[in-house]
Each structure stands twice: as structure tokens, then as C-alpha cells.
Coordinates of all heavy atoms in Angstrom, one line a residue:
G1 N 0.8 -1.2 0.0 CA 0.0 0.0 0.0 C 0.9 1.3 0.0 O 2.1 1.2 0.1
T2 N 0.2 2.4 -0.1 CA 0.8 3.7 0.0 C 0.8 4.2 1.4 O -0.2 4.3 2.0 CB 0.1 4.6 -1.0 OG1 0.1 4.0 -2.3 CG2 0.8 5.9 -1.1
S3 N 1.9 4.7 1.9 CA 2.0 5.3 3.2 C 2.0 6.8 3.0 O 2.4 7.3 1.9 CB 3.2 4.8 3.9 OG 4.4 5.3 3.3
F4 N 1.7 7.5 4.1 CA 1.7 9.0 4.0 C 3.1 9.5 3.7 O 3.3 10.5 3.1 CB 1.1 9.6 5.3 CG -0.3 9.6 5.3 CD1 -1.0 8.7 6.2 CD2 -1.1 10.4 4.5 CE1 -2.4 8.7 6.3 CE2 -2.5 10.4 4.5 CZ -3.1 9.5 5.4
A5 N 4.1 8.8 4.3 CA 5.5 9.2 4.1 C 6.0 9.1 2.7 O 6.9 9.9 2.3 CB 6.4 8.4 5.0
S6 N 5.3 8.3 1.9 CA 5.8 8.1 0.5 C 5.2 9.2 -0.4 O 5.5 9.2 -1.6 CB 5.4 6.7 0.0 OG 4.0 6.5 -0.1
I7 N 4.3 10.0 0.1 CA 3.6 11.0 -0.8 C 4.3 12.3 -0.6 O 4.6 12.7 0.5 CB 2.1 11.1 -0.4 CG1 1.4 9.8 -0.7 CG2 1.4 12.3 -1.1 CD1 -0.1 9.8 -0.5
G8 N 4.6 13.0 -1.7 CA 5.3 14.2 -1.7 C 4.5 15.4 -1.1 O 3.5 15.2 -0.5
T9 N 5.0 16.6 -1.3 CA 4.3 17.8 -0.8 C 3.9 18.6 -2.0 O 4.4 18.5 -3.1 CB 5.3 18.6 0.1 OG1 6.5 18.9 -0.7 CG2 5.7 17.8 1.3
G10 N 3.0 19.5 -1.7 CA 2.5 20.5 -2.7 C 1.8 19.8 -3.9 O 1.1 18.7 -3.7
W11 N 1.9 20.3 -5.1 CA 1.3 19.8 -6.2 C 1.8 18.4 -6.6 O 1.2 17.6 -7.3 CB 1.3 20.7 -7.4 CG 0.3 21.9 -7.2 CD1 0.7 23.1 -7.0 CD2 -1.1 21.8 -7.3 NE1 -0.5 23.9 -6.9 CE2 -1.6 23.1 -7.1 CE3 -2.0 20.8 -7.6 CZ2 -2.9 23.4 -7.1 CZ3 -3.3 21.1 -7.6 CH2 -3.8 22.4 -7.4
D12 N 3.1 18.1 -6.2 CA 3.6 16.8 -6.5 C 2.8 15.7 -5.8 O 2.8 14.6 -6.3 CB 5.1 16.8 -6.0 CG 6.0 17.7 -6.9 OD1 5.6 18.0 -8.0 OD2 7.0 18.1 -6.4
A13 N 2.2 16.0 -4.7 CA 1.5 15.0 -4.0 C 0.3 14.6 -4.8 O -0.1 13.4 -4.6 CB 1.0 15.6 -2.6
T14 N -0.3 15.4 -5.6 CA -1.5 15.0 -6.4 C -1.1 13.9 -7.3 O -2.0 13.1 -7.7 CB -2.1 16.2 -7.1 OG1 -1.1 16.7 -8.0 CG2 -2.6 17.3 -6.2
Q15 N 0.1 13.9 -7.8 CA 0.5 12.8 -8.7 C 0.8 11.5 -8.0 O 0.8 10.4 -8.6 CB 1.8 13.2 -9.5 CG 1.6 14.5 -10.3 CD 0.6 14.4 -11.4 OE1 0.4 13.3 -12.0 NE2 -0.2 15.4 -11.5
S16 N 1.0 11.6 -6.7 CA 1.4 10.4 -5.9 C 0.1 9.7 -5.3 O 0.2 8.5 -4.9 CB 2.3 10.8 -4.7 OG 3.4 11.4 -5.1
V17 N -1.0 10.4 -5.2 CA -2.2 9.8 -4.7 C -2.7 8.7 -5.7 O -2.9 9.1 -6.9 CB -3.3 10.9 -4.4 CG1 -4.6 10.3 -4.0 CG2 -2.8 11.8 -3.4
P18 N -3.0 7.5 -5.2 CA -3.6 6.6 -6.1 C -4.9 7.0 -6.7 O -5.7 7.8 -6.1 CB -3.8 5.3 -5.2 CG -2.9 5.6 -4.0 CD -2.8 7.0 -3.9
V19 N -5.2 6.6 -7.9 CA -6.5 7.0 -8.6 C -7.7 6.6 -7.8 O -8.6 7.4 -7.7 CB -6.5 6.3 -10.0 CG1 -7.8 6.6 -10.7 CG2 -5.4 6.9 -10.9
A20 N -7.7 5.4 -7.2 CA -8.8 5.0 -6.4 C -9.1 5.9 -5.2 O -10.2 6.2 -4.9 CB -8.6 3.5 -5.9
G21 N -8.0 6.4 -4.6 CA -8.1 7.4 -3.5 C -8.7 8.7 -3.9 O -9.5 9.3 -3.3
A22 N -8.2 9.2 -5.1 CA -8.7 10.4 -5.6 C -10.2 10.3 -6.0 O -11.0 11.2 -5.7 CB -7.9 10.9 -6.8
L23 N -10.6 9.2 -6.5 CA -12.0 9.0 -6.9 C -12.8 8.9 -5.6 O -14.0 9.3 -5.6 CB -12.1 7.7 -7.7 CG -11.6 7.8 -9.1 CD1 -11.7 6.5 -9.9 CD2 -12.3 8.9 -9.9
Q24 N -12.3 8.3 -4.5 CA -13.1 8.2 -3.3 C -13.3 9.6 -2.8 O -14.5 10.0 -2.3 CB -12.3 7.4 -2.2 CG -12.4 5.9 -2.5 CD -11.6 5.2 -1.4 OE1 -10.8 5.8 -0.7 NE2 -11.7 3.9 -1.4
I25 N -12.3 10.5 -2.8 CA -12.5 11.9 -2.3 C -13.5 12.6 -3.2 O -14.4 13.3 -2.7 CB -11.1 12.6 -2.3 CG1 -10.2 12.0 -1.3 CG2 -11.3 14.1 -2.1 CD1 -8.8 12.4 -1.4
F26 N -13.4 12.4 -4.5 CA -14.3 13.1 -5.5 C -15.7 12.6 -5.2 O -16.7 13.4 -5.2 CB -13.8 12.8 -6.9 CG -14.7 13.5 -7.9 CD1 -14.5 14.8 -8.2 CD2 -15.6 12.7 -8.7 CE1 -15.3 15.5 -9.2 CE2 -16.3 13.4 -9.6 CZ -16.2 14.7 -9.9
A27 N -15.9 11.3 -5.0 CA -17.3 10.8 -4.8 C -17.8 11.3 -3.5 O -19.0 11.6 -3.4 CB -17.2 9.2 -4.8
F28 N -17.0 11.3 -2.5 CA -17.5 11.8 -1.2 C -17.9 13.3 -1.2 O -19.0 13.6 -0.7 CB -16.5 11.6 -0.1 CG -16.9 12.0 1.3 CD1 -17.9 11.4 2.0 CD2 -16.3 13.1 1.9 CE1 -18.3 11.8 3.2 CE2 -16.7 13.5 3.1 CZ -17.7 12.9 3.8
V29 N -17.1 14.1 -1.8 CA -17.4 15.5 -2.0 C -18.7 15.7 -2.8 O -19.6 16.5 -2.6 CB -16.3 16.3 -2.5 CG1 -16.7 17.7 -2.9 CG2 -15.1 16.3 -1.5
G30 N -18.8 14.9 -3.9 CA -20.0 14.9 -4.7 C -21.3 14.6 -4.0 O -22.3 15.1 -4.1
F31 N -21.1 13.5 -3.1 CA -22.3 13.1 -2.3 C -22.7 14.2 -1.4 O -23.9 14.5 -1.2 CB -21.9 11.8 -1.5 CG -22.9 11.4 -0.5 CD1 -24.1 10.8 -0.8 CD2 -22.7 11.8 0.9 CE1 -25.0 10.4 0.1 CE2 -23.6 11.4 1.8 CZ -24.8 10.7 1.5
L32 N -21.7 14.8 -0.7 CA -22.1 15.9 0.2 C -22.8 17.1 -0.6 O -23.7 17.7 -0.1 CB -20.8 16.5 0.9 CG -20.2 15.5 1.9 CD1 -18.9 16.2 2.5 CD2 -21.2 15.2 3.0
E33 N -22.2 17.4 -1.7 CA -22.8 18.5 -2.5 C -24.2 18.2 -3.0 O -25.1 19.1 -2.9 CB -22.0 18.8 -3.8 CG -20.7 19.6 -3.5 CD -21.0 21.1 -3.2 OE1 -22.0 21.6 -3.9 OE2 -20.3 21.6 -2.4
L34 N -24.5 17.0 -3.4 CA -25.8 16.6 -4.0 C -26.9 16.3 -2.9 O -28.0 16.6 -3.2 CB -25.6 15.5 -4.9 CG -24.8 15.8 -6.2 CD1 -24.6 14.5 -7.0 CD2 -25.5 16.8 -7.0
F35 N -26.5 15.7 -1.8 CA -27.5 15.2 -0.9 C -27.5 15.8 0.5 O -28.5 15.7 1.2 CB -27.3 13.7 -0.8 CG -27.5 13.0 -2.1 CD1 -26.4 12.4 -2.7 CD2 -28.8 12.9 -2.7 CE1 -26.6 11.8 -4.0 CE2 -28.9 12.3 -3.9 CZ -27.9 11.7 -4.6
V36 N -26.4 16.3 1.0 CA -26.3 16.8 2.4 C -26.3 18.3 2.5 O -27.1 18.9 3.2 CB -25.1 16.1 3.1 CG1 -25.0 16.6 4.5 CG2 -25.2 14.6 3.1
M37 N -25.3 18.9 1.9 CA -25.1 20.3 2.1 C -25.9 21.2 1.1 O -25.3 21.9 0.3 CB -23.6 20.7 2.0 CG -22.7 19.9 2.9 SD -23.0 20.2 4.6 CE -22.1 21.7 4.8
K38 N -27.2 21.1 1.1 CA -28.0 21.8 0.2 C -28.4 23.2 0.8 O -28.6 23.3 2.0 CB -29.3 21.0 -0.1 CG -29.1 19.8 -0.9 CD -30.4 19.2 -1.3 CE -30.3 18.2 -2.4 NZ -31.6 17.7 -2.7
D39 N -28.6 24.1 0.0 CA -29.2 25.4 0.5 C -30.5 25.5 -0.1 O -31.0 24.7 -0.9 CB -28.3 26.6 0.1 CG -28.1 26.8 -1.4 OD1 -28.7 26.0 -2.2 OD2 -27.4 27.7 -1.8
S40 N -31.3 26.6 0.3 CA -32.7 26.6 -0.1 C -32.9 26.8 -1.6 O -33.9 26.5 -2.2 CB -33.3 27.8 0.6 OG -32.7 29.0 0.4
A41 N -31.8 27.3 -2.3 CA -31.9 27.5 -3.8 C -31.9 26.1 -4.5 O -32.4 26.0 -5.6 CB -30.8 28.4 -4.3
N42 N -31.4 25.1 -3.8 CA -31.4 23.8 -4.4 C -32.4 22.8 -3.8 O -32.2 21.6 -3.8 CB -29.9 23.2 -4.2 CG -28.9 24.0 -5.1 OD1 -29.3 24.4 -6.1 ND2 -27.8 24.1 -4.5
G43 N -33.5 23.3 -3.3 CA -34.6 22.5 -2.9 C -34.7 22.1 -1.4 O -35.6 21.4 -1.0
A44 N -33.7 22.6 -0.6 CA -33.8 22.3 0.8 C -34.7 23.4 1.5 O -35.1 24.4 0.9 CB -32.4 22.4 1.5
E45 N -35.2 23.0 2.7 CA -36.0 24.0 3.4 C -35.1 25.2 3.8 O -34.0 25.0 4.1 CB -36.5 23.3 4.7 CG -37.5 22.2 4.5 CD -38.8 22.7 4.0 OE1 -39.3 23.8 4.3 OE2 -39.4 22.0 3.1
P46 N -35.7 26.4 3.7 CA -34.9 27.5 4.1 C -34.4 27.5 5.5 O -35.1 27.0 6.4 CB -35.9 28.7 3.9 CG -37.0 28.2 3.1 CD -37.1 26.7 3.3
G47 N -33.1 27.8 5.7 CA -32.5 27.9 7.0 C -32.9 29.1 7.8 O -33.6 30.0 7.3
E48 N -32.3 29.2 9.0 CA -32.6 30.3 9.8 C -31.9 31.6 9.3 O -32.3 32.7 9.6 CB -32.1 30.1 11.2 CG -32.9 29.2 12.0 CD -32.4 29.0 13.5 OE1 -32.0 30.1 14.1 OE2 -32.3 27.9 14.0
F49 N -30.7 31.4 8.6 CA -29.9 32.5 8.2 C -29.2 32.1 6.9 O -29.0 30.9 6.6 CB -29.0 33.0 9.2 CG -28.2 31.8 9.8 CD1 -26.9 31.5 9.3 CD2 -28.6 31.1 10.9 CE1 -26.2 30.4 9.8 CE2 -27.9 30.1 11.4 CZ -26.7 29.7 10.9
P50 N -28.6 33.0 6.1 CA -27.9 32.6 4.9 C -26.6 31.8 5.4 O -26.0 32.2 6.3 CB -27.4 34.0 4.3 CG -28.4 35.0 4.8 CD -28.8 34.5 6.1
G51 N -26.4 30.7 4.7 CA -25.3 29.8 5.0 C -25.6 28.8 6.0 O -24.8 28.0 6.4
D52 N -26.9 28.6 6.3 CA -27.4 27.6 7.2 C -27.5 26.3 6.5 O -28.5 26.1 5.8 CB -28.7 28.0 7.9 CG -29.2 27.0 8.9 OD1 -28.4 26.0 9.2 OD2 -30.3 27.2 9.4
F53 N -26.5 25.4 6.5 CA -26.5 24.2 5.7 C -26.8 22.9 6.6 O -26.5 21.8 6.3 CB -25.2 24.0 5.1 CG -24.9 24.9 3.9 CD1 -24.0 26.0 4.1 CD2 -25.6 24.8 2.7 CE1 -23.8 26.8 3.0 CE2 -25.4 25.7 1.7 CZ -24.5 26.7 1.8
R54 N -27.4 23.1 7.8 CA -27.7 22.0 8.6 C -28.7 21.0 8.0 O -28.5 19.8 8.1 CB -28.3 22.5 10.0 CG -27.2 23.2 10.8 CD -27.8 23.7 12.1 NE -28.8 24.7 11.8 CZ -29.8 25.0 12.5 NH1 -30.0 24.4 13.7 NH2 -30.7 26.0 12.2
N55 N -29.7 21.5 7.4 CA -30.7 20.6 6.7 C -31.2 19.5 7.6 O -31.5 18.4 7.1 CB -30.1 20.1 5.4 CG -29.7 21.1 4.4 OD1 -30.5 22.1 4.3 ND2 -28.7 20.9 3.7
G56 N -31.3 19.7 8.8 CA -31.8 18.7 9.8 C -30.8 17.5 10.0 O -31.2 16.6 10.8
A57 N -29.7 17.5 9.4 CA -28.7 16.4 9.6 C -27.8 16.6 10.8 O -27.6 15.7 11.6 CB -27.9 16.3 8.3
L58 N -27.2 17.8 10.9 CA -26.3 18.1 12.0 C -26.8 19.3 12.7 O -27.2 20.3 12.2 CB -24.9 18.4 11.5 CG -24.2 17.3 10.8 CD1 -22.9 17.8 10.2 CD2 -23.9 16.1 11.7
D59 N -26.8 19.3 14.1 CA -27.3 20.4 14.8 C -26.3 20.9 15.8 O -26.0 22.0 16.0 CB -28.6 20.0 15.5 CG -29.3 21.2 16.1 OD1 -28.6 21.9 16.9 OD2 -30.5 21.4 15.8
F60 N -25.7 19.9 16.6 CA -24.7 20.3 17.6 C -25.2 21.3 18.7 O -24.5 22.1 19.2 CB -23.4 20.8 17.0 CG -22.7 19.8 16.1 CD1 -22.5 20.1 14.8 CD2 -22.2 18.6 16.6 CE1 -21.8 19.2 14.0 CE2 -21.6 17.7 15.8 CZ -21.4 18.0 14.5
G61 N -26.5 21.2 18.9 CA -27.1 22.0 19.9 C -27.5 23.4 19.6 O -27.7 24.3 20.4
W62 N -27.5 23.8 18.3 CA -27.7 25.1 17.8 C -29.1 25.6 18.3 O -29.2 26.8 18.7 CB -27.6 25.2 16.3 CG -27.9 26.6 15.8 CD1 -29.0 27.0 15.2 CD2 -27.0 27.7 15.8 NE1 -28.9 28.3 14.8 CE2 -27.7 28.8 15.2 CE3 -25.7 27.9 16.3 CZ2 -27.1 30.1 15.1 CZ3 -25.1 29.1 16.1 CH2 -25.8 30.2 15.5
D63 N -30.1 24.8 18.3 CA -31.4 25.1 18.7 C -31.6 25.4 20.2 O -32.6 26.0 20.6 CB -32.4 24.1 18.2 CG -32.5 24.0 16.7 OD1 -32.2 25.0 16.0 OD2 -32.8 22.8 16.2
T64 N -30.6 25.1 21.0 CA -30.7 25.3 22.4 C -30.1 26.7 22.8 O -30.4 27.1 23.9 CB -29.8 24.2 23.2 OG1 -28.5 24.3 22.8 CG2 -30.3 22.8 22.9
F65 N -29.5 27.4 21.9 CA -29.0 28.7 22.2 C -30.1 29.8 22.1 O -31.0 29.7 21.3 CB -27.9 29.1 21.2 CG -26.7 28.2 21.2 CD1 -26.1 27.7 20.1 CD2 -26.0 28.0 22.5 CE1 -25.0 26.9 20.1 CE2 -24.9 27.2 22.5 CZ -24.4 26.6 21.4
S66 N -29.9 30.8 22.9 CA -30.9 32.0 22.8 C -30.5 32.7 21.5 O -29.5 32.5 20.9 CB -30.7 32.9 24.0 OG -29.4 33.5 24.0
E67 N -31.4 33.6 21.2 CA -31.2 34.5 20.0 C -30.0 35.3 20.1 O -29.3 35.5 19.1 CB -32.4 35.3 19.7 CG -33.7 34.6 19.3 CD -33.4 33.7 18.0 OE1 -32.8 34.2 17.1 OE2 -33.8 32.5 18.0
E68 N -29.7 35.8 21.3 CA -28.5 36.6 21.5 C -27.2 35.8 21.3 O -26.2 36.2 20.7 CB -28.5 37.3 22.9 CG -29.6 38.3 23.1 CD -30.9 37.6 23.5 OE1 -30.9 36.5 24.0 OE2 -31.9 38.3 23.2
E69 N -27.2 34.5 21.8 CA -26.1 33.6 21.7 C -25.9 33.3 20.2 O -24.7 33.2 19.7 CB -26.3 32.4 22.5 CG -26.1 32.6 24.0 CD -26.4 31.3 24.7 OE1 -27.5 30.7 24.5 OE2 -25.5 30.9 25.5
K70 N -27.0 33.1 19.5 CA -26.9 32.7 18.1 C -26.3 33.9 17.3 O -25.4 33.7 16.5 CB -28.2 32.4 17.5 CG -28.8 31.0 17.9 CD -30.2 30.8 17.3 CE -30.8 29.5 17.8 NZ -32.1 29.2 17.2
A71 N -26.7 35.1 17.6 CA -26.2 36.3 16.9 C -24.7 36.4 17.2 O -23.9 36.8 16.3 CB -27.0 37.5 17.2
S72 N -24.4 36.2 18.4 CA -23.0 36.4 18.8 C -22.1 35.4 18.2 O -21.0 35.7 17.6 CB -22.9 36.2 20.4 OG -21.5 36.2 20.7
K73 N -22.5 34.1 18.1 CA -21.7 33.0 17.5 C -21.6 33.3 16.0 O -20.6 33.0 15.4 CB -22.4 31.7 17.8 CG -22.2 31.3 19.2 CD -22.7 29.9 19.5 CE -22.4 29.5 20.9 NZ -21.1 29.4 21.3
R74 N -22.7 33.8 15.3 CA -22.6 34.1 13.9 C -21.6 35.2 13.6 O -20.8 35.2 12.7 CB -24.0 34.4 13.3 CG -24.8 33.2 13.1 CD -26.0 33.5 12.2 NE -26.9 34.5 12.7 CZ -27.9 34.3 13.5 NH1 -28.2 33.1 13.9 NH2 -28.7 35.3 13.9
A75 N -21.6 36.2 14.5 CA -20.7 37.4 14.4 C -19.3 36.9 14.6 O -18.3 37.3 13.9 CB -21.1 38.5 15.4
I76 N -19.0 36.0 15.6 CA -17.7 35.5 15.8 C -17.2 34.7 14.6 O -16.1 34.9 14.2 CB -17.7 34.6 17.1 CG1 -17.9 35.5 18.3 CG2 -16.4 33.8 17.2 CD1 -18.2 34.7 19.6
E77 N -18.1 33.9 14.0 CA -17.7 33.1 12.9 C -17.4 34.0 11.7 O -16.4 33.8 10.9 CB -18.8 32.1 12.5 CG -18.4 31.2 11.4 CD -17.3 30.2 11.7 OE1 -17.0 30.0 12.9 OE2 -16.6 29.8 10.8
L78 N -18.2 35.0 11.5 CA -18.0 36.0 10.4 C -16.6 36.7 10.6 O -15.8 36.8 9.6 CB -19.1 37.0 10.3 CG -19.1 37.9 9.2 CD1 -19.2 37.2 7.9 CD2 -20.3 38.9 9.3
N79 N -16.3 37.1 11.8 CA -15.0 37.8 12.1 C -13.8 36.9 11.9 O -12.8 37.3 11.4 CB -15.1 38.4 13.4 CG -15.9 39.7 13.5 OD1 -16.1 40.3 12.5 ND2 -16.5 40.0 14.6
N80 N -14.0 35.6 12.3 CA -12.9 34.6 12.1 C -12.7 34.4 10.6 O -11.5 34.3 10.2 CB -13.3 33.3 12.7 CG -13.1 33.3 14.2 OD1 -12.5 34.2 14.8 ND2 -13.8 32.4 14.9
G81 N -13.7 34.4 9.8 CA -13.6 34.2 8.3 C -12.9 35.5 7.8 O -12.0 35.3 6.9
R82 N -13.2 36.6 8.2 CA -12.6 37.9 7.8 C -11.1 37.8 8.1 O -10.2 38.2 7.3 CB -13.3 39.1 8.3 CG -14.6 39.3 7.7 CD -15.3 40.5 8.4 NE -16.6 40.7 7.8 CZ -17.6 41.3 8.4 NH1 -17.5 41.7 9.7 NH2 -18.8 41.5 7.8
A83 N -10.8 37.4 9.4 CA -9.4 37.3 9.8 C -8.6 36.4 9.0 O -7.4 36.6 8.6 CB -9.3 37.0 11.3
A84 N -9.2 35.2 8.6 CA -8.5 34.2 7.8 C -8.3 34.8 6.4 O -7.2 34.6 5.8 CB -9.4 33.0 7.7
Q85 N -9.2 35.5 5.9 CA -9.0 36.2 4.5 C -7.9 37.2 4.6 O -7.1 37.2 3.6 CB -10.3 36.8 4.1 CG -11.4 35.8 3.7 CD -12.7 36.6 3.4 OE1 -12.8 37.8 3.4 NE2 -13.7 35.8 3.0
M86 N -7.8 38.0 5.6 CA -6.8 38.9 5.7 C -5.4 38.2 5.9 O -4.4 38.7 5.3 CB -7.0 39.9 6.9 CG -8.2 40.8 6.7 SD -7.9 42.0 5.3 CE -9.0 41.2 4.1
G87 N -5.4 37.1 6.6 CA -4.1 36.4 6.8 C -3.7 35.8 5.5 O -2.5 35.9 5.1
L88 N -4.6 35.3 4.7 CA -4.2 34.8 3.3 C -3.7 36.0 2.4 O -2.8 35.8 1.6 CB -5.3 34.0 2.7 CG -5.5 32.7 3.3 CD1 -6.8 32.0 2.7 CD2 -4.3 31.8 3.0
L89 N -4.4 37.1 2.5 CA -4.0 38.2 1.7 C -2.6 38.7 2.1 O -1.8 39.0 1.2 CB -5.0 39.4 1.9 CG -4.7 40.6 1.1 CD1 -4.8 40.4 -0.3 CD2 -5.7 41.7 1.5
A90 N -2.3 38.7 3.4 CA -1.0 39.1 3.8 C 0.1 38.1 3.3 O 1.2 38.5 2.9 CB -1.0 39.1 5.4
L91 N -0.3 36.8 3.3 CA 0.7 35.8 2.8 C 0.9 36.0 1.3 O 2.1 35.9 0.8 CB 0.1 34.4 3.0 CG 0.3 33.8 4.4 CD1 -0.4 32.5 4.4 CD2 1.8 33.6 4.6
M92 N -0.1 36.4 0.6 CA 0.1 36.6 -0.9 C 0.9 37.9 -1.2 O 1.7 37.9 -2.1 CB -1.3 36.7 -1.6 CG -2.0 35.3 -1.6 SD -3.5 35.3 -2.6 CE -4.6 36.4 -1.7
V93 N 0.6 38.9 -0.4 CA 1.3 40.1 -0.6 C 2.8 40.0 -0.2 O 3.7 40.6 -0.8 CB 0.6 41.3 0.2 CG1 1.5 42.5 0.2 CG2 -0.7 41.5 -0.4
H94 N 3.0 39.3 0.9 CA 4.4 39.2 1.4 C 5.2 38.3 0.5 O 6.2 38.4 0.0 CB 4.3 38.5 2.8 CG 5.7 38.4 3.5 ND1 6.4 39.5 3.8 CD2 6.4 37.3 3.8 CE1 7.5 39.1 4.3 NE2 7.6 37.7 4.4

């Protein structure tokens, strides 16, 4: 078999991954796109807010939070995303 140590880094690693492994990844992502992570534009029930991809499958206790906690957690997640974007921008500029 193929071990992680035998796979290169960067784009060279894509050539080292066996075809069956790449197809498994592709099939799994396709399954998630088509059946699990739907938004309301693709036939799912509308969520509580834009980007709500729970679709009744995963909740992790979201419904137990108060409206203030939900708003705070969405704001924190939005700020974390913005910080990540700025970090990537700094890497590209540097």
C-alpha cells in the first residue's frame, strides 16, 4: 500500500495519490454537494440565516442557544472568516 511518508508535498502530492483514493475523495465531496449540504436554492427547506446548511442532519445544539447567543456566534464566525481572509491576503502580498 501507499503510506503517507511516500507521498510528496505540494502539487507533486497529487501525482502520488492513487487513482482509487482520488476517486473516493471526489465521490464523497459529490455526495455531500448533492445530498447533504443543500441550500434553499437547491430544494432544501430555508434555514434560519444565509449559509445555514444544517438541513436537519447536524445540529450540535444550535437550537438550544438563545437568539443573543446565536447572533454572537454568527458574528464571531464571520469575524474569524474575515481574519482568515486577511491572513491569506498578507501571505500573498508578502
Side-chain angles (χ1 to χ4, degrees):
T2 304
S3 66
F4 283 109
S6 66
I7 295 181
T9 58
W11 284 107
D12 292 335
T14 60
Q15 302 298 321
S16 303
V17 174
V19 174
L23 289 176
Q24 285 176 348
I25 294 169
F26 183 76
F28 180 67
V29 170
F31 171 78
L32 290 177
E33 281 287 323
L34 294 175
F35 299 109
V36 179
M37 303 296 279
K38 288 185 169 185
D39 62 359
S40 59
N42 293 323
E45 292 293 323
E48 287 185 41
F49 51 89
D52 183 8
F53 289 108
R54 290 177 294 153
N55 297 323
L58 295 174
D59 191 306
F60 298 119
W62 180 257
D63 294 332
T64 62
F65 296 130
S66 68
E67 290 303 315
E68 294 81 24
E69 287 176 307
K70 288 180 181 180
S72 171
K73 289 183 180 295
R74 283 196 301 269
I76 290 168
E77 184 64 23
L78 186 60
N79 285 333
N80 286 342
R82 289 174 178 157
Q85 290 174 0
M86 291 297 106
L88 285 174
L89 180 64
L91 280 174
M92 290 188 293
V93 170
H94 183 63

